[in-house]
Amino acid sequence: MITGYVIRSSVCYMKILSNKNNLQVLYEDNHIIVVNKRPGDIVQGDKTGDKPLSEVVKEYIKEKYNKPGKVYLGVVHRLDRPTSGIVVFARTSKALPRLNKIFAEKKARKTYWAVVKNPPPANEGHLEHWLVRNPKQNRSYAHNKEVPNAKKAALTYKTLKKLTNYYLLEIDLHTGRHHQIRAQLAGMGCPIKGDLKYGFERSNKDAGIHLHARRLSFVHPVKKEEMTITAPPPEKDVIWKNCTG
């Protein structure tokens, strides 16, 4: 059984995840619910018509609390479909605008894990690029200098572990751009394992990539408590097991 960790007011609580319908719940209360997204899941409905994570969470709430009628659920932020990790949803109309403001004002601190094949140029560092998004390709291009229609992107990284054939990096985001980590690591010469779109030589069997939203810190929108939530990476993946073992 996987466990998730929630830190509130410097006290660590361990919660057992709900794995029903492949839904891993890291934390929930009356106002928010935090889940650990699997690679391949979409957070919100799109043109593919695939069932989104938001609908799975609604079904979970409806069944668990025996709620009549429609279940309210607000989508606060998203992760790329091939990415795994922490996703926060609002359970009340009171929490949603407050969470939206927290994320819009960059007051939610996000930490990711990424597995790359090539060693980074230094064990840790700060990356700044100018990203240009191409909507038709659903891709962002990283430039070392400012170019037309570009947005500045910044992150810091450090090497956590050297595996047999890969490196585990921890990334702290300072901006929130489209495909930012994927584009910037590729721009550094370290495309993420499985990420064909950004230069890795082959895809993963599950069509996911080895990018995981590992940790998220924010102030609870109603309780006003500082929270830090940590999500375990996909448990059945051998490489992720080696990262945590």
Side-chain angles (χ1 to χ4, degrees):
M1 189 71 77
I2 304 175
T3 54
Y5 296 88
V6 180
I7 300 175
R8 292 182 292 179
S9 303
S10 300
V11 180
C12 183
Y13 298 83
M14 186 170 70
K15 293 179 68 67
I16 300 299
L17 301 178
S18 168
N19 284 297
K20 191 169 185 179
N21 297 324
N22 292 315
L23 182 67
Q24 299 179 352
V25 179
L26 297 170
Y27 174 83
E28 63 180 306
D29 60 27
N30 291 336
H31 295 282
I32 67 174
I33 182 168
V34 185
V35 302
N36 191 9
K37 185 181 99 62
R38 301 174 303 168
D41 288 342
I42 52 172
V43 174
Q44 196 171 24
D46 63 8
K47 62 184 179 181
T48 65
D50 294 340
K51 188 175 184 177
L53 185 59
S54 57
E55 290 301 315
V56 176
V57 174
K58 286 181 181 180
E59 291 174 358
Y60 163 83
I61 293 171
K62 187 176 182 66
E63 180 179 344
K64 180 175 180 179
Y65 299 101
N66 195 26
K67 283 186 169 290
K70 293 184 178 180
V71 172
Y72 180 90
L73 192 75
V75 177
V76 178
H77 66 118
R78 298 167 183 81
L79 290 179
D80 295 341
R81 185 162 191 170
T83 303
S84 61
I86 298 171
V87 179
V88 181
F89 295 97
R91 289 191 57 193
T92 63
S93 57
K94 182 178 183 179
L96 181 58
R98 295 181 183 185
L99 283 169
N100 285 340
K101 184 177 181 181
I102 288 170
F103 278 79
E105 294 178 353
K106 306 295 186 295
K107 292 181 179 178
R109 297 178 297 282
K110 305 174 184 177
T111 300
Y112 289 75
W113 278 4
V115 175
V116 300
K117 184 173 183 179
N118 300 326
N123 284 333
E124 58 183 75
H126 178 82
L127 298 182
E128 288 189 359
H129 290 95
W130 292 90
L131 298 189
V132 177
R133 181 177 182 179
N134 186 319
K136 290 184 178 180
Q137 296 178 338
N138 189 29
R139 175 174 175 162
S140 289
Y141 291 85
H143 300 267
N144 292 323
K145 296 181 179 180
E146 186 174 5
V147 296
N149 302 315
K151 293 182 178 180
K152 189 175 183 179
L155 60 79
T156 53
Y157 74 88
K158 62 180 177 181
T159 305
L160 291 185
K161 194 170 186 177
K162 170 68 171 75
L163 305 172
T164 302
N165 296 308
Y166 302 98
Y167 296 82
L168 172 63
L169 306 183
E170 183 171 85
I171 297 106
D172 288 314
L173 279 180
H174 304 305
T175 54
R177 307 302 184 197
H178 176 260
H179 289 184
Q180 179 181 335
I181 297 174
R182 299 167 67 180
Q184 287 199 270
L185 291 189
M188 184 174 68
C190 299
I192 296 167
K193 184 182 181 301
D195 199 356
L196 283 175
K197 186 183 289 283
Y198 287 92
F200 200 81
E201 62 266 26
R202 63 184 181 276
S203 60
N204 291 337
K205 290 182 180 179
D206 63 359
I209 63 175
H210 276 73
L211 178 62
H212 179 70
R214 171 66 172 172
R215 190 164 55 250
L216 181 67
S217 298
F218 61 100
V219 175
H220 192 286
V222 179
K223 298 178 181 179
K224 304 303 180 183
E225 296 175 340
E226 179 73 24
M227 301 182 65
T228 295
I229 300 176
T230 301
E235 62 176 337
K236 295 181 180 180
D237 185 286
V238 174
I239 291 177
W240 280 127
K241 280 186 177 180
N242 290 338
C243 290
T244 56

